[in-house]
Amino acid sequence: MRDPYQVLDVSRSASDAEIKRAFRKLAKKHHPDQNASDPAAKERFAEVNAAYEIVGDKTKRKQFDGGEIGADGKPKFQGFEGFDGFQGAGRGGPGAGRTFRWRGSAPGGAGAFSADDILSEILGGFGGGAGQRAARAKRARGAPVEATAAVTLEQLVRGEKIRVDLSTGRTVEVSLPAGNRPGNVIRLKGQGFPGTAGGPNGDALMTIVLVPNRAYRIDGDSLRRDVAITLDEAVLGASVRVPTLDGPVTLKVPPKSSGGRTLRLRGKGLPRSGGSRGDLLVSLRIVLPEGGDGELEDLMHRWRERQRYRVRSEEPSG
């Protein structure tokens, strides 16, 4: 198998991010679903995937750079301690081409054993079990795939299913578990790139992105919104209809409510993982009549002359 750095066309000093970008580019280019008319695409895709399994994993990359494992991910043979001067089995055998070194006492001494004994032990260890280990090494898990899902506040509240297009070519439907928030990552088991030699698929990592909503602002588990009221409603109090994500509800505005006062509608915020919900925090915004009102202006002039009150501290002079 080729050097994984060469397969991904990156230098040995490449950062994790550079390796990841190179893999995604090549995986997309050689994915079999995108190259149905090219029978060699599957092999190239498998090679890219296997290369990323090595250098895309920090532990395996360190082992490969240190010569502990080969490009196929298998441990390199380091020799047996205490043995020197014996050539392995004949051509094609498991020990062919390897030199085993024995550094103990000379043959015939106490505890000595023959080369046949050594071969028997080596060949026994490299028998059927080795084939199984090699097969397992080739059955590598597929690489993960990243995706984003644009969701609305209504979908978060109702836990609706959303459709997500993955770079693997699949489209999946995902239910939003309660408690999810923008920026959270949902792991979709087995929805990543296919594994090699029958290995399991990787996972898809889906990041939740919120569709902008002008009416609501997220504040932890709560939502905030403004509600317009008239001057008389602020002074005398009133019951006003307030839109929520569950439909309109009635909010009681207490008398003598200043603009900017915040009132709470319990249980009308975002769902929590435990089943409860946050609150909707409603800020009152006093709105005067459009175009003005002569009677109101006259009233305000008379009221100002009789009783003017302070709401701001005097600014310091100088």
Side-chain angles (χ1 to χ4, degrees):
M1 182 176 175
R2 287 197 296 154
D3 185 301
Y5 290 104
Q6 295 179 359
V7 173
L8 297 177
D9 194 23
V10 295
S11 67
R12 299 182 77 89
S13 61
S15 66
D16 293 342
E18 290 172 332
I19 290 174
K20 187 175 183 179
R21 283 196 297 270
F23 165 71
R24 294 185 67 176
K25 178 180 178 181
L26 292 172
K28 185 175 181 180
K29 177 180 178 182
H30 298 302
H31 195 283
D33 292 347
Q34 306 295 325
N35 300 272
S37 60
D38 184 2
K42 186 175 182 179
E43 295 181 8
R44 291 195 296 270
F45 177 79
E47 185 182 39
V48 168
N49 197 38
Y52 186 68
E53 283 289 326
I54 300 297
V55 296
D57 182 285
K58 291 184 178 180
T59 300
K60 290 183 180 179
R61 183 182 183 183
K62 183 177 180 181
Q63 292 174 332
F64 176 77
D65 291 344
E68 298 177 32
I69 61 175
D72 56 0
K74 301 177 186 177
K76 288 188 176 180
F77 185 78
Q78 302 294 331
F80 291 95
E81 182 180 357
F83 188 66
D84 196 356
F86 177 74
Q87 293 295 326
R91 296 179 181 175
R98 299 189 179 100
T99 299
F100 308 100
R101 295 179 172 81
W102 167 255
R103 300 183 182 86
S105 58
F113 47 89
S114 67
D116 288 340
D117 295 328
I118 298 172
L119 270 180
S120 176
E121 183 177 344
I122 294 172
L123 293 175
F126 282 22
Q132 294 174 2
R133 287 193 296 273
R136 285 195 297 269
K138 291 180 180 178
R139 291 196 297 270
R141 174 181 291 275
V145 60
E146 295 181 355
T148 58
V151 302
T152 64
L153 281 175
E154 289 82 0
Q155 288 173 316
L156 279 180
V157 168
R158 298 166 188 163
E160 295 179 357
K161 287 186 176 181
I162 56 175
R163 292 174 62 87
V164 182
D165 295 325
L166 304 177
S167 58
T168 57
R170 299 190 187 97
T171 298
V172 296
E173 281 194 345
V174 183
S175 295
L176 294 174
N180 271 284
R181 300 289 181 266
N184 286 171
V185 177
I186 299 177
R187 182 180 296 272
L188 307 178
K189 292 287 187 181
Q191 296 297 331
F193 288 107
T196 57
N201 288 2
D203 299 333
L205 305 176
M206 185 185 75
T207 302
I208 297 177
V209 178
L210 184 66
V211 176
N213 189 310
R214 294 182 179 179
Y216 298 92
R217 303 178 297 279
I218 295 179
D219 184 0
D221 293 334
S222 296
L223 293 173
R224 290 183 176 273
R225 72 162 300 149
D226 297 337
V227 170
I229 60 173
T230 61
L231 180 60
D232 61 292
E233 289 173 333
V235 174
L236 304 176
S239 293
V240 299
R241 298 286 281 174
V242 177
T244 76
L245 294 176
D246 303 298
V249 298
T250 300
L251 173 68
K252 185 175 181 179
V253 177
K256 305 175 186 178
S257 291
S258 298
R261 181 174 182 175
T262 299
L263 304 176
R264 185 183 301 269
L265 289 172
R266 297 192 178 278
K268 296 300 181 180
L270 295 178
R272 302 186 180 104
S273 56
S276 62
R277 286 179 59 176
D279 303 328
L280 175 60
L281 305 177
V282 179
S283 296
L284 303 179
R285 182 167 55 89
I286 299 174
V287 179
L288 298 179
E290 292 185 9
D293 184 291
E295 292 184 10
L296 178 61
E297 292 174 8
D298 291 341
L299 173 63
M300 289 298 101
H301 280 297
R302 294 194 302 271
W303 187 83
R304 176 184 289 179
E305 292 173 358
R306 293 197 309 267
Q307 183 177 351
R308 184 173 184 178
Y309 65 105
R310 296 181 183 276
V311 295
R312 298 174 300 279
S313 60
E314 294 296 332
E315 295 184 0
S317 61

